[in-house]
Amino acid sequence: MTQSQQDLDQHFITHALTLAEKAEQLGEIPVGAVLVDENNNIIGEGWNLSIVNNDPTAHAEIIALRNGAEKIQNYRLLNTTLYVTLEPCTMCAGAILHSRIKRLVFGAYDYKTGAVGSRFHFFDDYKMNHALAITGGVLAEKCGEKLSDFFKKRREQKKQQKLNQSDI
Ligand SMILES: [Zn+2]
């Protein structure tokens, strides 16, 4: 991989991290995703909205793919790259497969539910008509910290709530 590609990958993962913050502000798990075309123009953006939208499928990746497909008015997203701050789950891996994107780049590995090698090997198991290029672990530490900070804060809030209840 060329240096400039590495720079680009870090640039777009950093952008996806700013979208993850939007999710966090809404109380959602902070995951963000960006879809770019072959000229590196952003055509889709997404962040987790499952709780807000009462939609178990509203993961950042799905939203970014829908957003991009709407924008280019095509259900196939050929020659695009999806950047996401966390390794996709099986549902999102399925959507990625159907979308026909060219490349997937993700940040942190998800050892509990990651479908791109950490927990499941979705793309290895699936015989695909065209190969999907995959790069994992881009700014993994930064992406992982955003999630672990979120869960830590949430645990503390829950603990505080319990303490407050016991005061009554
Ligand atoms: Zn997912």
Side-chain angles (χ1 to χ4, degrees):
M1 204 190 308
T2 59
Q3 182 60 42
S4 64
Q5 187 61 58
Q6 254 177 30
D7 289 347
L8 268 176
D9 287 355
Q10 292 188 0
H11 168 78
F12 285 121
I13 288 289
T14 302
H15 182 68
L17 273 168
T18 65
L19 299 177
E21 267 159 37
K22 293 186 186 228
E24 185 167 11
Q25 282 160 12
L26 298 166
E28 301 271 355
I29 295 169
V31 178
V34 186
L35 186 70
V36 307
D37 67 13
E38 67 263 53
N39 299 315
N40 295 307
N41 296 313
I42 293 176
I43 58 168
E45 290 182 332
W47 52 94
N48 274 357
L49 287 171
S50 295
I51 302 166
V52 173
N53 288 1
N54 295 315
D55 179 359
T57 71
H59 287 189
E61 300 95 310
I62 305 267
I63 291 168
L65 291 173
R66 281 185 179 147
N67 195 211
E70 179 75 35
K71 178 138 190 186
I72 65 167
Q73 289 290 298
N74 197 327
Y75 74 112
R76 281 185 175 159
L77 295 159
L78 304 172
N79 298 318
T80 61
T81 299
L82 182 70
Y83 292 91
V84 56
T85 56
L86 181 67
E87 180 180 352
C89 69
T90 48
M91 174 183 73
C92 291
I96 285 164
L97 179 86
H98 286 284
S99 72
R100 306 278 188 94
I101 65 164
K102 191 179 177 185
R103 188 166 172 248
L104 166 69
V105 181
F106 64 87
Y109 291 93
D110 184 348
Y111 298 104
K112 274 189 190 160
T113 60
V116 194
S118 290
R119 178 70 179 82
F120 307 105
H121 297 81
F122 186 90
F123 295 105
D124 295 352
D125 298 339
Y126 214 101
K127 292 271 177 275
M128 292 171 71
N129 292 328
H130 76 169
L132 172 75
I134 299 169
T135 305
V138 176
L139 300 180
E141 211 168 303
K142 231 177 170 180
C143 293
E145 263 170 25
K146 181 156 268 324
L147 285 157
S148 50
D149 286 353
F150 171 81
F151 287 116
K152 199 176 151 197
K153 257 189 244 163
R154 201 162 74 166
R155 275 196 301 274
E156 277 163 9
Q157 276 168 0
K158 279 191 180 156
K159 212 168 140 188
Q160 199 54 48
Q161 273 171 5
K162 270 189 196 159
L163 285 173
N164 290 345
Q165 277 169 357
S166 61
D167 284 349
I168 298 166

